[in-house]
Amino acid sequence: MQSSMRMRAAVAGTLLGLLAVFAGPGSTASAEPSDTTVGAVTDFAADGSVYRLTAGHAEARISFVSDDTFRIELAPDGRFTDPTGQDIVLPQGPPPVTHWADRGDRYELGTARVTLRAYKSPLRFAAFRADGTPLWTETRGLTWNQDRTVQTLARGAREQFYGAGMQNGRGNTSHRGKTVEVGVDYNWNDGGHPNSVPFYLSSAGYGVYRNTYAPNTYAFGEPVTTTAREQRFDAYYFAGDGEDALKDVIGQYTRLTGKPFLPPVYGLEIGDADCYLHNANRGERHTLDALKVADGYVRNDMPNGWMLVNDGYGCGYEDLAETAQGLQQRGMQLGLWTEDGLDKLADQVKAGQRVAKLDVAWVGEGYKFALDGCKGAYAGIEANSTARGFTWAPESWSGAQRCGVQWSGDQSGSWEYIRWQIPTYAGASMSGLAYTTGDVDGIFGGSPKTYTRDLQWKTFLPVTMTMDGWAAHDKQPFRYGEPYTSINRASLKLHEALLPYIYSHAHRATETGVGLARPLVLEYPDDPVAASDAAKYEFLSGEDFLVAPVYKDAVERDGIYLPKGTWIDYANGRTYEGPVTLDDYSAPLDTLPLFVRAGAVVPMWPGGIRSATDRRPGDPIAWDVYPQGTSSFELYEDDGVTREHRSGRHATQRAEVTAPQRGAGDVTVRIGASVGDHTGKPAARPYHFTVHTGDAPGAVTLGGRALARHTTKAAFDTATQGWWYDRDDRGGVVRVKTAAQPTDRAFTLVLAGTSAVGGAVPGAAATLTAPAGQELGAGVPGTVAVDVTAGTRDATAVEVGLDVPAGWQVAPAAPVARIPAGTTRRVELAVTPAPDAVPGEATLTATARHRAAGADLTAAQRFAAGVVPPPPTAPAWVSDLVWLKSTNGWGPPERDRSNGESGAADGHALTLAGTTYEKGVGAHADSDIEVYLGGRCTAFTADVGIDDEIDGYGDVAFSVEADGEVLWTSPRVTGASATVPVDVDVTGARHVHLRITDTNGTKSGDHGDWAAARFDCA
C-alpha cells in the first residue's frame, strides 16, 4: 500500500502548518471574489527611467532595468509593496537611457532595444522590439480581486511557451494549450511541480518573471492568462533577439535573479546518500560504516564524488572528522542532511562537510525560508572552508539556481519513473535551473534493469545521486551483480571521462544561465517538431549530444527524432541526416540511444579514471572530434575545488577544427594556447585525439612534421606519439597521440587525405540490422541472423562476425562475395550459448568487414537475443517457473505470497475473499510477468482478485497475453469484488504475459493476486 514512503515534505508540512502558509493570500475566502480591471489613465509622470501611470485609485509603475529588461508594477490602492525585497532580484547597476512620447491614444516608453506601449483608455500594455516587431500584447487590462492579479495576453498563431521551473513529466516541449502551476504541492511524482519558478518564456522572444513569493498559475490558452495569488502585480519582462532569443531571455532572467553557481568538480560526480547511524531500515550501523560503502566504489572501480552519511529521519552522526578524512582518502567528500537545521553548519564544515542537503532546512514560513536556507548553507560552507558552496534541495524558488542543485524529491523506481523524468530536467533548464536531477531509480522500489537504464541517461545530466536505505536493497551501482555492474561502471566512467565537457558547460552557465541538459527547441527553435511531444522523451546534453533514453522494458526504442543536420550514432558510428525519426532502434541493456552532432569537438579525460582526484597536472587531455565544416569548443579549466576562479584564477583553451562539409579532404585541428593561470595548471601536457573520419588519412602531421603511423593497437598503445587508423571502431576513427606540448603555445594537427565524418564517399558503408525476437536455449545449438544492407556502393568481400558473451561459441559464417548497392543479404551464424547462460536478454555485437568505394570498412550493430529456459514438460505453477520479465508497480512481485511492501519476500499468505492459497503470485499494478512455454502448454488457470490485506481498496484489471495477442481480460476488479476464475486456452503459445493494470489512476492498494496460477503442459 506504499505506506512506508517517508513523504518528507508532507510530514514537515503537517508539523509546521506549511500547507496553510503556501495556500496564498485570501485562501480562506468562502465565496469567489469579483474582479476589477484597471481603468483609464488619469495621470502620467516620468522620472528618468521610471514612469508612473495613475488610473483612478490604482497606480502602475514602469521601471527600465536595462536596454532589454523592464518591470511593470500595479498597486490597486496606489501603495507599492515588494515582499521579496532584495532576496531574489540582484542589483543591476545604473538604469539605461530611456525615452517617451505621447502618441495620443497611448504613451510609448522605451530604450534603444525595446518599446512599451501604454494605451490610455483603458490602461493596457503591449511590448515591441525597437524595430516594431511585437513581443506581447494585453487583450485586457490588468485585473485583480482580493485573492489574485491576472495578466491577459494574446496568443500568437504558432507561439510556444516554456518554463515555470521544474514541472515533473513536462517542460522540454511546449506548454501551449496547457495550464501549469507554480508553487509547492509536495507532489514529487508525475504532474507535480517541485522547485517551481515564477518565470516563463515564449517563442515570440520574450520572457516574464513574476516578482513574488505567491503561488502562480499560467494558462497558455487563447488568450494566455497568468495569475499570481496576491493583490499586487509585479513582473519583469525580457526582450530577446536573434536566432538565440530563447537563450538570450534565459540569460537576462538569470542576470536579474542570479547566474547558476559553478559546482566543485566532485559535485559533478555521482553522490551517494544513506543513514549510517542506527538505521531503522538496515539495522545497527555507525557513521564510519560509510567508509565500507566507499570502499565498494573503489573496489568496483566506480566513480563517486561525495557521500551523504546521515540521510534518514532521526539519523545523526558520530566520528565526523574521521569519516570526512576517510572519504577524502578515497577521493570523495562528506555531505550531511540538514536534519537539525543550519545551526551546526560551521562546526560540521570545519570537520570536513562539503555538501549540504536541505530537505529539512527549507521548511519554514514560505518560499523566503526555502531560499534563505539555500543561501545560508551555501554561504556557511564557504565561510568555514576554502571550498565552494554546494547544496541540494527538493523545493525552491527563483534565485536558488545561484546556490544549489534542485532535485525532484522522493520517488519509486520503475519504467514509468524513467519516462516522466526525461522531460523534467531539460525543461527546468528553460527557467535557468542549470542543475536538476532525480535519484537514480528512485529511493523506493526499483530493479536491476530500471536502475541500469536510469543511470545510463543520467550520465548526461550534470549531477545525480543514488539514495539507499529505503528500498528493499541498497542502490549503489555495484549491488546487482553482472551484467548490471559492468554496464553501470561503463556509464559512470563515461560521465567521468566527459567531465571536461560538462565542467566547461557549467562555467558557461555562470555566464549565460543555460544549463547542460536542454530541450531540442533551445538549439533548434525553428523546428516545429522540437516543440512537440514527438521530442518529449529525448534531450540535448550541451549542443553536441542527443540523448533518447529507453523508458520501457524493451530492447528497441521507437520515435527518436533527430533534427536538421548530420548525426552520428555514438555506439557504432552510423550517420543519419536529419530531420528524421528513427523507429526500431536496437538498444540492448548496455546501449543508450546516443547521437553526436557532426562538427562536435568534445574535450575528455582519457584513461578510464575512477575519480577526478586521480588526475595529475600534466595528464593528457583527449579531444573527440566529429569533423564537418568549421567548428570549435572552448575548454574551461581551474583547480576544480576552491574559489580562486572568482578572482580570475582559471584558463581557457580553444580547439578549432576545419574539415570538408562532406566527403573527402583534409582535416585540420588547431589547439590554441591555454590562456590564463590557476593552481595546478601544467606547463606542458600530452594530447590524445579520436577523429571520426571513416577513412584513413594519407599522413598525419604535428606542427608540420610527420607523425609515425602505427599498424596495430598494441604498438599505438605503447608509443608516446604517433597515429593509428582503427577501421573497426565506430565506422573508422583516426587515433593520434602527441608528446607533451607547452600549454602556452598553439599547435596544429593535420590529417591529410582523409574526410569529413561519414567517409570520403558518404553512405557507401554497409549497415547492419538484426531481426527482433531471436531466441536461443542455454547450451543448445542455434542460429542468429544478421541482415547486411549495402550502402550507395556495392559491398564486396563481406565477412560477418559476432561478439558474444564469455562461454558462448560461434561458428564463422561463409564470406559473401558481393552485396549490390542498396540491397540486403541475410547471414546466419551458428551460435551455442554457454550451458549456464542466464535466461533473459543477452547483448551480441555483429560486425561486417567489407570493401566499398575502394576502402576497407567495418559496420557494427549491437542487438539483444533472448536466452530462454527449457519449456515446462509437465503441469507447472507460475511461481515455480523462470520469469523472463517481472515488472511491478510497487516493490517486486512475490512468489507464493502477497505483494506486501517495497521489499522482497515481505508479503503475507495469498488470500482472496477469505480463501488462502499456498501457490500463486502477488503483484501490484501496473505489473507484467513473462514466462516461456515454448508451445508445450494448453491451458492456464487461476483465481484472481485484490488481496484481502488491502481491506476493500484497489481497482485493477487482469489480462493474459500470448505472443502479442490478448487472450483474456477480466472485468474491473476492486477490493470488494468476488474472486474471478481464469481458464484460458494457451495452446501453442511460446511467451505468455500475465498483466495487472490500474483502472482508476490512483494505484493505491492495487495488490492483485494470481492465486493458484498454473499451466497445464505436456
Side-chain angles (χ1 to χ4, degrees):
M1 291 183 66
Q2 306 184 27
S3 60
S4 65
M5 292 188 68
R6 54 184 181 171
M7 298 300 291
R8 288 178 165 176
V11 172
T14 300
L15 292 175
L16 299 178
L18 278 181
L19 297 181
V21 171
F22 286 130
S27 60
T28 59
S30 58
E32 185 69 20
S34 59
D35 288 342
T36 300
T37 301
V38 67
V41 175
T42 56
D43 195 15
F44 172 82
D47 182 11
S49 61
V50 179
Y51 301 85
R52 292 175 179 265
L53 296 99
T54 303
H57 294 294
E59 185 170 329
R61 181 167 62 190
I62 296 92
S63 308
F64 287 90
V65 178
S66 70
D67 279 341
D68 40 29
T69 300
F70 60 90
R71 179 185 190 184
I72 297 177
E73 299 169 87
L74 179 76
D77 60 1
R79 295 190 296 268
F80 293 103
T81 60
D82 184 359
T84 67
Q86 298 179 345
D87 295 344
I88 299 173
V89 173
L90 301 177
Q92 296 297 297
V97 175
T98 65
H99 54 79
W100 69 274
D102 187 340
R103 304 296 187 191
D105 66 331
R106 66 186 186 272
Y107 295 101
E108 289 190 356
L109 325 170
T111 69
R113 295 192 60 181
V114 65
T115 297
L116 179 67
R117 294 180 183 176
Y119 293 95
K120 297 179 180 178
S121 186
L123 176 58
R124 187 170 54 84
F125 295 107
F128 297 80
R129 293 193 180 93
D131 62 3
T133 304
L135 292 169
W136 55 264
T137 300
E138 288 184 338
T139 61
R140 181 186 185 189
L142 294 172
T143 302
W144 67 88
N145 60 38
Q146 67 187 49
D147 291 341
R148 64 178 182 263
T149 54
V150 182
Q151 184 174 45
T152 305
L153 303 178
R155 189 181 72 178
R158 292 181 295 276
E159 189 175 7
Q160 310 296 332
F161 302 90
Y162 307 91
M166 187 183 287
Q167 297 284 326
N168 285 351
R170 297 157 291 164
N172 73 335
T173 52
S174 178
H175 292 317
R176 181 183 173 93
K178 302 169 185 175
T179 297
V180 297
E181 299 292 339
V182 176
V184 172
D185 65 349
Y186 301 119
N187 178 1
W188 293 336
N189 294 302
D190 191 10
H193 39 87
N195 296 296
S196 292
V197 174
F199 165 81
Y200 71 91
L201 66 167
S202 161
S203 63
Y206 73 88
V208 185
Y209 160 62
R210 294 290 279 264
N211 184 40
T212 179
Y213 281 132
N216 284 230
T217 300
Y218 304 147
F220 296 109
E222 176 53 68
V224 174
T225 60
T226 60
T227 303
R229 277 179 255 169
E230 60 180 356
Q231 198 188 56
R232 58 183 290 275
F233 183 87
D234 188 353
Y236 287 82
Y237 298 84
F238 314 98
D241 202 3
E243 294 181 358
D244 288 330
L246 292 176
K247 290 183 181 178
D248 189 21
V249 169
I250 295 171
Q252 292 177 47
Y253 162 70
T254 53
R255 183 178 65 204
L256 184 78
T257 63
K259 298 296 184 189
F261 76 114
L262 181 62
V265 169
Y266 55 78
L268 300 177
E269 298 174 308
I270 192 172
D272 187 290
D274 200 352
C275 169
Y276 289 96
L277 187 62
H278 318 311
N279 188 319
N281 297 326
R282 292 293 185 266
E284 183 65 15
R285 296 196 297 187
H286 297 277
T287 305
L288 284 171
D289 288 333
L291 301 182
K292 299 175 184 177
V293 174
D295 286 337
Y297 282 95
V298 176
R299 185 171 56 251
N300 286 279
D301 191 23
M302 287 184 168
N304 184 57
W306 51 277
M307 290 188 67
L308 197 81
V309 299
N310 68 330
D311 196 27
Y313 286 116
C315 187
Y317 56 79
E318 58 190 11
D319 302 315
L320 200 61
E322 188 177 352
T323 303
Q325 184 179 26
L327 290 174
Q328 290 167 2
Q329 291 168 350
R330 293 157 174 82
M332 306 170 198
Q333 293 291 344
L334 172 71
L336 291 174
W337 175 40
T338 53
E339 180 183 11
D340 298 323
L342 300 178
D343 294 345
K344 299 179 181 179
L345 186 63
D347 290 339
Q348 293 167 343
V349 172
K350 291 172 183 176
Q353 179 187 2
R354 294 296 180 267
V355 183
K357 192 157 166 279
L358 305 174
D359 47 335
V360 168
W362 52 255
V363 172
E365 295 182 357
Y367 302 103
K368 174 176 169 52
F369 197 99
L371 189 55
D372 286 349
C374 178
K375 291 188 291 186
Y378 182 90
I381 291 173
E382 297 199 344
N384 295 283
S385 72
T386 61
R388 302 174 196 175
F390 188 59
T391 75
W392 283 56
E395 296 286 0
S396 62
W397 200 244
S398 287
Q401 73 274 359
R402 62 190 192 237
C403 55
V405 173
Q406 290 76 44
W407 107 104
S408 55
D410 300 338
Q411 296 109 9
S412 182
S414 66
W415 296 106
E416 183 69 2
Y417 169 75
I418 296 174
R419 180 196 64 79
W420 67 254
Q421 288 227 328
I422 298 166
T424 300
Y425 308 123
S429 294
M430 298 298 267
S431 299
L433 300 180
Y435 305 100
T436 59
T437 192
D439 301 316
V440 179
D441 204 32
I443 70 169
F444 309 105
S447 69
K449 273 191 180 180
T450 54
Y451 189 101
T452 299
R453 286 297 196 190
D454 199 36
L455 179 61
Q456 266 180 350
W457 71 271
K458 284 177 177 168
T459 291
F460 287 88
L461 299 177
V463 291
T464 197
M465 174 177 67
T466 189
M467 187 179 291
D468 307 287
W470 298 96
H473 302 283
D474 277 348
K475 291 200 168 189
Q476 281 88 18
F478 48 81
R479 295 291 186 187
Y480 295 113
E482 296 297 347
Y484 310 105
T485 295
S486 291
I487 299 172
N488 293 340
R489 179 187 300 110
S491 295
L492 291 171
K493 285 292 191 80
L494 178 57
H495 182 87
E496 198 77 9
L498 286 170
L499 279 178
Y501 176 83
I502 295 168
Y503 195 62
S504 295
H505 276 88
H507 167 69
R508 289 187 194 178
T510 68
E511 298 178 332
T512 66
V514 179
L516 180 75
R518 55 190 69 173
L520 269 63
V521 74
L522 197 59
E523 301 296 337
Y524 302 90
D526 297 326
D527 186 340
V529 178
S532 74
D533 281 354
K536 186 173 185 178
Y537 298 115
E538 56 191 71
F539 67 96
L540 295 170
S541 186
E543 297 89 348
D544 296 322
F545 292 99
L546 187 149
V547 187
V550 176
Y551 56 92
K552 299 177 180 178
D553 190 4
V555 294
E556 292 185 335
R557 172 67 150 83
D558 292 334
I560 301 174
Y561 177 70
L562 304 179
K564 182 179 180 180
T566 303
W567 294 90
I568 301 93
D569 188 321
Y570 191 79
N572 59 32
R574 181 175 176 178
T575 60
Y576 297 90
E577 292 299 322
V580 65
T581 298
L582 307 182
D583 290 324
D584 302 322
Y585 178 89
S586 180
L589 186 62
D590 67 350
T591 303
L592 169 71
L594 177 65
F595 303 86
V596 189
R597 180 187 60 85
V601 187
V602 180
M604 302 179 72
W605 285 339
I609 63 171
R610 191 196 66 80
S611 169
T613 60
D614 294 337
R615 291 278 298 177
R616 296 292 178 264
D619 282 356
I621 285 288
W623 291 94
D624 197 24
V625 180
Y626 298 78
Q628 185 184 75
T630 300
S631 57
S632 64
F633 189 94
E634 187 168 88
L635 170 68
Y636 171 86
E637 297 174 289
D638 58 33
D639 67 23
V641 178
T642 75
R643 304 189 295 276
E644 290 184 355
H645 64 288
R646 297 180 192 167
S647 58
R649 300 276 292 168
H650 53 76
T652 57
Q653 187 173 35
R654 187 174 181 84
E656 298 175 340
V657 178
T658 303
Q661 191 65 34
R662 183 177 173 88
D666 296 346
V667 174
T668 300
V669 182
R670 182 182 185 278
I671 303 298
S674 177
V675 179
D677 195 14
H678 59 84
T679 301
K681 179 181 175 178
R685 63 184 171 196
Y687 292 82
H688 296 178
F689 298 88
T690 302
V691 188
H692 299 253
T693 60
D695 268 280
V700 177
T701 60
L702 175 65
R705 294 186 176 184
L707 292 178
R709 179 176 186 174
H710 301 284
T711 57
T712 66
K713 181 179 185 299
F716 177 77
D717 287 345
T718 57
T720 303
Q721 187 164 274
W723 68 278
W724 169 54
Y725 180 68
D726 186 354
R727 64 172 285 192
D728 294 332
D729 184 10
R730 292 169 287 177
V733 301
V734 185
R735 297 189 179 276
V736 183
K737 289 196 295 188
T738 77
Q741 304 294 308
T743 55
D744 62 351
R745 297 181 219 162
F747 67 89
T748 300
L749 186 74
V750 178
L751 285 64
T754 181
S755 66
V757 67
V761 181
T767 57
L768 302 184
T769 56
Q774 299 189 74
E775 293 180 339
L776 299 161
V780 178
T783 59
V784 169
V786 177
D787 292 334
V788 184
T789 301
T792 57
R793 301 290 192 273
D794 291 358
T796 61
V798 181
E799 298 180 353
V800 178
L802 200 62
D803 289 336
V804 295
W808 291 38
Q809 296 179 353
V810 181
V816 179
R818 181 178 298 274
I819 303 176
T823 66
T824 300
R825 173 74 176 268
R826 176 161 291 182
V827 176
E828 293 189 342
L829 298 97
V831 178
T832 303
D836 59 352
V838 177
E841 299 160 6
T843 298
L844 312 181
T845 302
T847 57
R849 302 182 107 231
H850 60 288
R851 284 189 63 79
D856 293 326
L857 304 173
T858 303
Q861 180 63 60
R862 288 177 177 156
F863 62 97
V867 178
V868 294
T873 57
W877 300 106
V878 173
S879 58
D880 293 338
L881 293 175
V882 173
W883 296 348
L884 293 180
K885 292 182 180 178
S886 57
T887 61
N888 210 45
W890 182 251
E894 301 282 10
R895 299 174 187 265
D896 302 329
R897 65 180 67 215
S898 67
N899 182 80
E901 291 290 344
S902 64
D906 63 359
H908 306 95
L910 294 161
T911 309
L912 296 176
T915 299
T916 300
Y917 296 80
E918 291 187 6
K919 303 292 290 182
V921 178
H924 190 297
D926 289 330
S927 174
D928 179 8
I929 294 172
E930 179 187 359
V931 295
Y932 178 73
L933 304 182
R936 301 293 297 270
C937 304
T938 57
F940 170 71
T941 57
D943 289 342
V944 299
I946 302 291
D947 195 280
D948 288 357
E949 69 184 358
I950 296 307
D951 195 24
Y953 291 97
D955 204 314
V956 303
F958 296 78
S959 64
V960 179
E961 302 177 20
D963 301 326
E965 179 183 356
V966 178
L967 303 182
W968 173 84
T969 300
S970 75
R972 176 186 173 198
V973 177
T974 71
S977 299
T979 301
V980 179
V982 185
D983 191 344
V984 181
D985 185 352
V986 294
T987 301
R990 293 176 57 80
H991 291 260
V992 170
H993 290 260
L994 306 180
R995 301 185 193 271
I996 305 175
T997 306
D998 170 66
T999 51
N1000 68 352
T1002 69
K1003 298 186 181 178
S1004 177
D1006 286 347
H1007 288 217
D1009 291 346
W1010 295 93
R1014 184 177 112 139
F1015 290 101
D1016 289 335
C1017 311

